[in-house]
Amino acid sequence: MLALPTLSPVDLAQWMLEAFGTQLRVRCERPLPAGEGCLLVVSSHRSFLDAPLLVRSMGSPVRLVCHHYLGQVPVVNELVRQLGGFHLGPAGQGWSTLFRQASRYLLSGTHVAIFPEGAQLIAAHSRPGQVATFRRGFAHLALRSGIEHLPIVPVAIVSKREASGPLVPLRLLSLFDGSEPMFQKAGWHPYVLYEQVELRVGAPRRIRPEEVARYRGGEAAVVTAALAAELENAARELTLPGGRHPC
């Protein structure tokens, strides 16, 4: 089996971006909270380069919630591990375990990043700046974390120039995760290689005590749906031209 050199997550992320010739610019709506200890980052997701982009850009250690199948593919699983990835189980199993693990990272002061769109765009043809429906797992995580006023930070990864094309048949990936509906479809899993890309960071949105109370009081579905829709809309707005400034 191919042995990969052991690098720090930031060094590995930088090496990957340089290897693919990716030019990155990071832009923020406002400065990220300083001295908070942790952020929950929710990002759009069209390319395997999104993970190293986040690791390279956040300025502090960040752990990445990854799709189950990435932990099953040789070499890729080691890259993901070195970048700081940890995995959800097949077919969305293991959410409780993942919540506990993510909460430990947050409580220790480590940022956690998640791609709420899942495989919707990375496994299908998509447009630069496109944002798909945000699933609610990150909202459950935020509301169960036990961290008061946890800041959730929306991120949009907007390609300015890229190369793309077919990579592997989708059904081939079912060998690594037969529970993923996307991998039961005909067609090809595309690749997207960013040549020039902007990582646009939105204003932090803090979890409010009344939301936690409603979540625990039997309104979990309503509260998480509203939070997912709000952060999805924030990511969409980040894709529009605007007056953001270098972070």
Side-chain angles (χ1 to χ4, degrees), residues 40-55:
L40 178 60
V41 179
V42 293
S43 174
S44 61
H45 189 34
R46 296 180 57 240
S47 170
F48 70 94
L49 289 174
D50 295 336
L53 286 172
L54 284 175
V55 172

Side-chain angles (χ1 to χ4, degrees), residues 189-204:
H189 190 303
Y191 69 86
V192 174
L193 297 179
Y194 303 129
E195 297 172 1
Q196 292 183 346
V197 65
E198 287 189 354
L199 190 142
R200 300 178 181 176
V201 183

Side-chain angles (χ1 to χ4, degrees), residues 93-110:
Q93 298 171 20
W95 274 110
S96 295
T97 300
L98 184 139
F99 289 156
R100 289 194 296 271
Q101 190 172 7
S103 294
R104 286 196 295 269
Y105 290 137
L106 292 168
L107 287 165
S108 72
T110 300

